[in-house]
Amino acid sequence: MLFRSYINPAENREANRKLPKLMVEGLLLGGTGLGVLALIFEIAADAFSVAAYQTLLAIHGASGHHDVAILAFVVLSVMLFLGIVPAYKAGAYIRPTAGGSGPLVEAIGPPRLRWLSWVGTSLFFLDAVLTIIISSISAADVLMLLFPEFAPYRILIAEIFAFFIMSILVAVGPKRAVPLFLIGGGAFTIFTMFALTQVGYSALANPEWAYLTSGIVHRLEEAQVVEHVVRAVGDAPAIGSVLFFQFFFRSMSSAMLGFSGYEVIPASGKHAARPKWKVINTALTLAALFLIATGVLQLAAAKAWNIPSTEGYSTLLIEYEIVAAQTFGRGIAEADNQIHLRDIQEAERIYEERRAAEHDGPLHAEDADGGSVMEEINRAEAIRSIASDLVIAKALNRALAGTDGQGILSLAALLLAIILLLAQGGGYVGGAAVAANAAKLGRLPGFFANDRIGIAVIWSFAALTIPLIREVVVVEAYYAFGFVSAFIITSTTVFLVRDDALADRGITPGSAEARSLRFAGLRGMIASYIMGLVLVTQKTDALGAIVVLAAIITLFQLYYAYGGAKKDPAKLTAYAPTPATAPEYDSGIQRAHDKARARGIIDRVNALIEEGALVKFNVDHERIRRLITYVYSLDADAFEISSEEAQYADDDHAHEPSQDLEVTYDQYFSARAEILGKIEDYSHYGIFTFIDKYYANWVNEEHGRDASEVQKAMISLLFPLTDDDIIWEQFQQYRWTFQPEPIWQFCRERYTWAKDQWPNLSGRLTTIWTLQELGLIPDEVDIKTVISINARNELREINIHTHGPLPEEEAEPESDNPELPD
């Protein structure tokens, strides 16, 4: 029963029926959102690009032992597919628009886990900054394949790349930048599928091509494209059990980087087509399969061809280069690579340069006796090895020159550089989204609600840090903590999901479906906790910095949210807005609740418009929105922002990011009668103003038409659907006062309507009054008229006063009726 589907069967059948269309939805930027492939292509820049480096890092962590790296990656893949994927799919089903791990805790987690949302936001923000760093440095490294002469400027190029993507996102906005990610991610994903299939086949069929590896690595070293090489060594059985487990866990901690970006899929799901949960869940499964398949194929080829870990250059590109030369180029036979005298001479020069460089550098422990590592190797053998590498490198150049292989290799490098460049988008957009959510919760300044500002802030931190880090293997030690913590928080939240969140999704708490969903979270907890334990033990050097930085960001959130270093209840009380006055909040939480109040009012007004409840006022919607904006002290652009946010709503309604804000939102969204009453009051004010201005034209005390009688008659005609006594009582309270333009622009429309309608409605009434004044109707005659009050021709009887003059004591004085400006 633990593996029973928790998805509503009818809902699942309908989603499966739509799946073929959902797979390709949005590829041409049509439809209502992004489909499965479009969503995968959008996040491919972040998630799939790191797959090009996971083998490098896995081999690096295993100190060159391919068997250990493969085993570590297989174990990680099992954890991902059987643990992390089910947990994320369950979270996406319950709340498809929650986004990152922090927002998910607030949306569906129990109150005791709320502190995790603060920590999760901090770690995700750090993860976003590290994404920019690792992506920009990696893109610069790959570019060295095409332009090795730029190697001395790789850090400057990385800074330019970071600034370039930031500028585009800020200029056009994250949403409009989606085509950029679709094109880049789609091209990279499709090319990688075909290219890696060819690599896997070639490695299996031609393991003897391994002799090319040393020549490629030598050329990369000489061009200063790679800074550090961890040479491939013997198989795992050759080492002891202690070293085996040391290498295994170290490799495991490094290979986790291949799953980076996976946590962004639910956050990107706010762009998904409906049903969002189906698109997100399918994308989660396919993305996991892609990550696992690419890793396995790369590691298998790396083992077959004895490829080392080359810092600054992807293992994947070395594999591509071998295939390009042998399959699509002229090919190289090992027997044809003859060493000539000029090769020996060049090798001697390189040997001496390396020897001199080693003497100038710091001594290693084995050099303490004054000797050098190079001197321990037979000089002749070293020179011959270098000469052999030189010959292979030259043969590779000849095999590729002017062939399809050269074009394919250049295309592979260009696509990888582009996708690594675009991978920054995942950090920028995901980090900005999490920052915006924190701003919505009142934990960060309100300007973070604008994604563009969040993107610029993330870039500023990354730009300052890139020159300090410089290498991918340095970044990955810190980087993994961010997304593994997201795995931990998401899985724990799904396992401890609130009962009301389950019920809201149609799952009965305590049912078999609820237990199945919680079991998905439990599997994710087991997998993510193991990953976290491995990171803590193997990346201890990075743990301190991560804890300190996360603590600083979390403390800043607490300080801003509570309006100071201490939690002052007085600063958390409800804010009392004043119309036409800029709000001054005492705390971030106070601001968050006031914004939730605004969203509740806005959504209720939009709902009233949609249901046609405001049609009777005959006023355009913008005037009504402007009236509400002023009366309820909303931001001038509140309705425009709300309409932009509405497109990201899930299939039911847009949830607030926390329970507390949901209560505030519901309080004002439920105030239908109050809001409608406010609009109606100002509508009446406009009509009352017309009555107050024009009734005196028909007052005639001699014939018994005093002010009140005329006013009542006008009310009867202008308010045919409401009881006269009710409107008359309201009119008695009317007093002309100056109204601000946002209010009067609405009232003026009702005033004008009444003025325009009065000639049409009053024809019979004013005719009788005119005849009475001409003496053509006796005073004692009682006249009644019947009018139609709606399109269904419902009739209402109107009594027209024609009796003689009232006693003098009953007569009302004329109203003090100030003239209104036109």
Side-chain angles (χ1 to χ4, degrees):
M1 297 296 289
L2 292 178
F3 290 96
R4 178 173 179 172
S5 175
Y6 47 80
I7 301 173
N8 181 282
E11 184 181 9
N12 198 29
R13 285 194 298 271
E14 179 65 15
N16 288 333
R17 184 184 66 81
K18 295 179 179 178
L19 185 58
K21 180 178 181 292
L22 291 175
M23 289 293 294
V24 297
E25 179 81 12
L27 284 178
L28 298 178
L29 302 183
T32 57
L34 300 182
V36 176
L37 293 178
L39 182 59
I40 287 177
F41 293 161
E42 186 190 32
I43 60 94
D46 192 13
F48 296 167
S49 62
V50 189
Y53 273 82
Q54 65 186 352
T55 50
L56 179 154
L57 296 167
I59 298 170
H60 183 275
S63 294
H65 293 87
H66 288 101
D67 287 349
V68 176
I70 291 173
L71 180 61
F73 183 75
V74 168
V75 172
L76 279 175
S77 298
V78 172
M79 290 182 179
L80 176 71
F81 200 74
L82 299 183
I84 305 301
V85 173
Y88 265 87
K89 290 172 69 174
Y93 179 71
I94 301 175
R95 191 61 60 87
T97 55
S101 57
L104 190 69
V105 174
E106 293 286 351
I108 69 173
R112 66 180 182 275
L113 286 185
R114 188 161 295 174
W115 64 273
L116 282 177
S117 69
W118 301 79
V119 177
T121 297
S122 302
L123 290 172
F124 202 106
F125 188 85
L126 287 176
D127 189 74
V129 174
L130 292 173
T131 297
I132 311 308
I133 297 170
I134 194 171
S135 299
S136 57
I137 292 177
S138 299
D141 288 342
V142 172
L143 198 66
M144 297 305 101
L145 172 69
L146 301 176
F147 307 102
E149 62 273 15
F150 291 155
Y153 310 104
R154 55 187 289 271
I155 298 302
L156 176 61
I157 293 173
E159 290 279 17
I160 294 173
F161 283 166
F163 179 78
F164 174 70
I165 295 298
M166 180 276 295
S167 301
I168 291 178
L169 290 174
V170 169
V172 306
K175 181 184 176 184
R176 294 181 180 177
V178 168
L180 188 67
F181 295 105
L182 289 184
I183 296 171
F188 173 78
T189 305
I190 295 171
F191 178 85
T192 302
M193 289 175 61
F194 288 103
L196 263 182
T197 301
Q198 180 65 45
V199 166
Y201 168 77
S202 300
L204 181 66
N206 304 283
E208 68 278 5
W209 291 352
Y211 72 90
L212 295 174
T213 299
S214 61
I216 296 174
V217 174
H218 168 79
R219 189 190 66 204
L220 296 172
E221 288 181 299
E222 287 303 303
Q224 297 181 346
V225 173
V226 301
E227 298 182 1
H228 183 61
V229 178
V230 177
R231 302 288 177 181
V233 294
D235 293 336
I239 62 177
S241 58
V242 175
L243 279 178
F244 172 81
F245 283 107
Q246 179 181 339
F247 293 157
F248 172 78
F249 289 120
R250 192 73 179 177
S251 177
M252 191 174 175
S253 67
S254 298
M256 286 180 196
L257 192 67
F259 300 151
S260 169
Y262 191 82
E263 79 283 2
V264 179
I265 296 177
S268 298
K270 70 178 184 179
H271 302 288
R274 292 179 174 86
K276 293 180 183 293
W277 68 267
K278 187 65 176 180
V279 175
I280 296 172
N281 286 6
T282 307
L284 285 167
T285 300
L286 294 180
L289 290 174
F290 185 91
L291 292 172
I292 293 170
T294 55
V296 169
L297 285 172
Q298 287 183 73
L299 282 170
K303 175 177 171 56
W305 290 335
N306 212 28
I307 298 175
S309 170
T310 53
E311 167 59 24
Y313 195 82
S314 171
T315 306
L316 181 63
L317 284 179
I318 295 178
E319 295 169 353
Y320 284 168
E321 188 163 357
I322 293 174
V323 173
Q326 297 293 76
T327 304
F328 300 100
R330 297 183 179 88
I332 305 171
E334 186 174 8
D336 296 337
N337 297 326
Q338 301 297 322
I339 300 176
H340 299 90
L341 178 60
R342 61 178 179 274
D343 300 320
I344 297 293
Q345 292 172 342
E346 188 174 355
E348 288 177 345
R349 178 186 59 79
I350 294 173
Y351 171 81
E352 295 299 334
E353 288 178 355
R354 292 180 181 178
R355 186 168 178 271
E358 189 166 346
H359 275 299
D360 291 338
L363 291 177
H364 299 283
E366 60 268 29
D367 303 329
D369 59 354
S372 66
V373 175
M374 293 298 295
E375 289 173 350
E376 295 177 7
I377 303 174
N378 184 280
R379 185 177 187 278
E381 290 183 1
I383 291 175
R384 186 166 185 83
S385 176
I386 295 173
S388 176
D389 291 342
L390 283 170
V391 171
I392 294 173
K394 293 176 182 177
L396 280 167
N397 290 335
R398 290 194 300 271
L400 289 170
T403 65
D404 293 340
Q406 185 179 38
I408 292 174
L409 185 59
S410 298
L411 176 62
L414 183 62
L415 282 177
L416 186 54
I418 290 174
I419 204 65
L420 287 167
L421 184 65
L422 296 179
Q424 299 173 71
Y428 282 132
V429 176
V434 171
N437 187 272
K440 198 173 182 180
L441 288 164
R443 298 173 183 176
L444 288 177
F447 59 75
F448 276 101
N450 186 330
D451 284 346
R452 289 179 167 89
I453 295 178
I455 289 168
V457 172
I458 291 171
W459 167 79
S460 64
F461 281 101
L464 293 173
T465 316
I466 286 174
L468 302 177
I469 291 180
R470 302 184 66 88
E471 297 180 2
V472 174
V473 291
V474 175
V475 182
E476 61 95 8
Y478 300 90
Y479 191 38
F481 282 99
F483 63 83
V484 170
S485 67
F487 292 167
I488 292 173
I489 294 172
T490 299
S491 302
T492 305
T493 302
V494 170
F495 178 69
L496 300 175
V497 59
R498 298 193 315 269
D499 286 346
D500 65 288
L502 289 174
D504 186 47
R505 197 62 180 90
I507 300 175
T508 303
S511 64
E513 290 79 8
R515 290 193 295 272
S516 175
L517 186 139
R518 292 182 189 275
F519 181 60
L522 178 62
R523 283 182 282 163
M525 288 174 64
I526 294 172
S528 60
Y529 285 11
I530 292 174
M531 290 183 183
L533 182 62
V534 170
L535 275 182
V536 170
T537 57
Q538 300 301 313
K539 304 293 186 184
T540 310
D541 294 341
L543 182 60
I546 291 294
V547 171
V548 170
L549 292 173
I552 291 173
I553 298 175
T554 302
L555 289 174
F556 176 79
Q557 291 184 75
L558 290 168
Y559 180 87
Y560 185 85
Y562 295 128
K566 295 182 179 180
K567 187 177 181 180
D568 185 359
K571 294 182 178 181
L572 305 180
T573 55
Y575 173 73
T578 303
T581 303
E584 295 182 3
Y585 303 111
D586 294 324
S587 67
I589 291 178
Q590 190 180 73
R591 175 179 60 81
H593 280 277
D594 190 52
K595 298 304 180 184
R597 171 192 72 91
R599 287 189 290 272
I601 293 170
I602 290 168
D603 287 351
R604 172 49 67 192
V605 171
N606 288 335
L608 289 172
I609 292 174
E610 289 295 325
E611 68 188 53
L614 306 183
V615 172
K616 67 177 183 177
F617 298 116
N618 196 32
V619 176
D620 63 276
H621 300 159
E622 289 307 312
R623 290 181 182 271
I624 294 175
R625 291 186 173 116
R626 189 179 174 192
L627 170 70
I628 293 298
T629 296
Y630 183 85
V631 171
Y632 284 96
S633 302
L634 307 181
D635 292 336
D637 57 350
F639 277 94
E640 287 77 5
I641 294 174
S642 176
S643 63
E644 292 178 4
E645 292 176 345
Q647 62 186 309
Y648 299 137
D650 60 18
D651 301 318
D652 299 316
H653 66 279
H655 295 271
E656 290 296 307
S658 71
Q659 277 185 294
D660 294 340
L661 295 182
E662 189 82 27
V663 171
T664 300
Y665 172 90
D666 287 340
Q667 175 187 346
Y668 288 92
F669 182 77
S670 302
R672 182 182 188 277
E674 176 191 333
I675 295 173
L676 194 57
K678 287 275 188 183
I679 299 173
E680 191 160 282
D681 287 345
Y682 285 109
S683 171
H684 289 179
Y685 184 89
I687 299 174
F688 290 165
T689 300
F690 166 75
I691 294 174
D692 189 51
K693 182 176 181 180
Y694 281 90
Y695 80 90
N697 295 323
W698 299 101
V699 173
N700 190 322
E701 299 284 352
E702 297 179 1
H703 293 282
R705 290 198 312 275
D706 63 354
S708 63
E709 289 298 331
V710 175
Q711 291 165 354
K712 287 178 180 179
M714 296 178 76
I715 284 172
S716 294
L717 291 177
L718 291 173
F719 294 93
L721 298 178
T722 309
D723 185 83
D724 289 348
D725 293 336
I726 296 175
I727 302 298
W728 175 248
E729 183 179 351
Q730 293 179 14
F731 183 75
Q732 294 294 96
Q733 305 299 320
Y734 166 82
R735 295 293 183 274
W736 163 254
T737 58
F738 175 79
Q739 297 292 344
E741 179 58 24
I743 292 179
W744 181 242
Q745 55 85 33
F746 172 82
C747 299
R748 184 191 298 119
E749 288 296 297
R750 301 302 291 151
Y751 173 92
T752 303
W753 173 86
K755 184 178 180 181
D756 292 341
Q757 290 300 311
W758 176 248
N760 301 325
L761 298 172
S762 64
R764 299 177 187 179
L765 178 68
T766 54
T767 297
I768 292 172
W769 284 348
T770 301
L771 292 174
Q772 182 185 18
E773 292 178 357
L774 294 175
L776 300 178
I777 298 178
D779 289 340
E780 64 272 11
V781 175
D782 191 15
I783 300 176
K784 296 180 180 180
T785 187
V786 176
I787 62 172
S788 176
I789 60 176
N790 58 30
R792 296 188 298 274
N793 201 31
E794 296 181 13
L795 305 178
R796 179 180 176 182
E797 185 180 86
I798 300 294
N799 184 53
I800 303 176
H801 179 79
T802 57
H803 296 292
L806 296 173
E808 185 175 347
E809 62 272 15
E810 296 182 9
E812 294 184 4
E814 292 187 7
S815 171
D816 183 11
N817 181 31
E819 287 295 323
L820 296 178
D822 290 335

